[in-house]
């Protein structure tokens, strides 16, 4: 049976230590490289998992996801006749975070600035089988590549995708019901 998953993760802010680019710039370069490889029929990490029918990563910046918003103090593009229907249902973050999920990215006592709007990494995929078995394949077959992508995002486990249980909890905490 074909199943789908969507994962929404905030990209870390600031510069990558020891580099002159931000986490978003590094991630954008990596995703561009993966796209170029796919367009040239060069295998990508995703091609290592035969059960995938479709998979895509993309970035969504605040000026895109807030386009039709009206939060005071933030400049938005002007309304157009094609403005989104405000009564339409919207995707939401998971209604509950797994109890064992404990992000290990923030130093003790540090708090996120609520005024800073993140860029989000979206991963969406259609695949055969069970979600947990699918994510386990990422840990077993392409953990290093997953680390290159999601290490740019907030809350990604320090042990990376090789620690399946932490990686699984990370995915579940950021999954959007589809």
């Amino acid at each position: 049976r074909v199943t789908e998953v969507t994962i929404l993760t905030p990209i870390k802010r600031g510069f990558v230590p020891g580099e002159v680019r931000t986490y978003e710039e590094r991630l954008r370069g990596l995703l561009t490289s993966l796209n170029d490889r796919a367009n040239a029929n060069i295998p990508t990490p995703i091609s290592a998992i035969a059960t995938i029918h479709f998979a895509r990563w993309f970035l969504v910046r605040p000026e895109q996801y807030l386009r039709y918003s009206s939060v005071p103090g933030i400049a938005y593009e002007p309304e157009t006749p094609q403005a989104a229907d405000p009564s339409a249902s919207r995707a939401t973050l998971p209604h509950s975070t797994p109890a064992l999920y404990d992000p290990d990215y923030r130093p003790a006592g540090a708090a996120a600035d609520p005024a800073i709007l993140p860029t989000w990494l979206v991963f969406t995929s259609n695949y055969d089988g069970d979600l947990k078995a699918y994510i386990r394949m990422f840990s077993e077959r392409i953990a290093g590549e997953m680390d290159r992508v999601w290490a740019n995002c907030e809350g990604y486990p320090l042990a990376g995708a090789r620690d399946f249980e932490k990686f699984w909890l990370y995915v579940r905490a950021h999954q959007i019901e589809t």
Side-chain angles (χ1 to χ4, degrees), residues 132-170:
K132 194 166 188 175
Y134 176 61
I135 298 303
R136 187 177 301 279
M137 283 188 245
F138 282 41
S139 285
E140 293 173 352
R141 298 182 188 175
I142 56 173
E145 297 293 337
M146 296 302 94
D147 293 348
R148 288 183 59 210
V149 172
W150 272 301
N152 295 290
C153 297
E154 295 286 357
Y156 190 69
L158 293 176
R162 284 179 180 80
D163 182 337
F164 172 71
E165 289 305 322
K166 285 191 177 184
F167 183 54
W168 169 243
L169 291 173
Y170 179 78

Side-chain angles (χ1 to χ4, degrees), residues 53-137:
H53 294 277
F54 169 86
R56 172 184 293 154
W57 279 286
F58 60 94
L59 305 181
V60 182
R61 297 186 45 78
E63 61 269 20
Q64 295 167 317
Y65 65 80
L66 295 174
R67 174 176 254 171
Y68 301 108
S69 300
S70 59
V71 177
I74 298 178
Y76 301 95
E77 293 192 14
E79 289 288 329
T80 64
Q82 295 83 23
D85 177 4
S87 64
S89 64
R90 298 169 193 232
T92 60
L93 289 172
H95 54 277
S96 63
T97 299
L100 298 175
Y101 177 68
D102 182 21
D104 51 9
Y105 63 92
R106 196 172 287 147
D113 181 346
I116 297 175
L117 301 171
T119 296
W120 295 86
L121 173 65
V122 181
F123 174 73
T124 186
S125 179
N126 294 349
Y127 57 93
D128 292 330
D130 170 71
L131 177 61
K132 194 166 188 175
Y134 176 61
I135 298 303
R136 187 177 301 279
M137 283 188 245

Side-chain angles (χ1 to χ4, degrees), residues 6 13 15 23 25 30 44 58-59 105 108 115 133 139 149 151 154:
T6 299
R13 301 196 57 88
F15 290 89
Y23 288 98
E25 289 169 332
L30 173 61
T44 67
F58 60 94
L59 305 181
Y105 63 92
S139 285
V149 172
E154 295 286 357

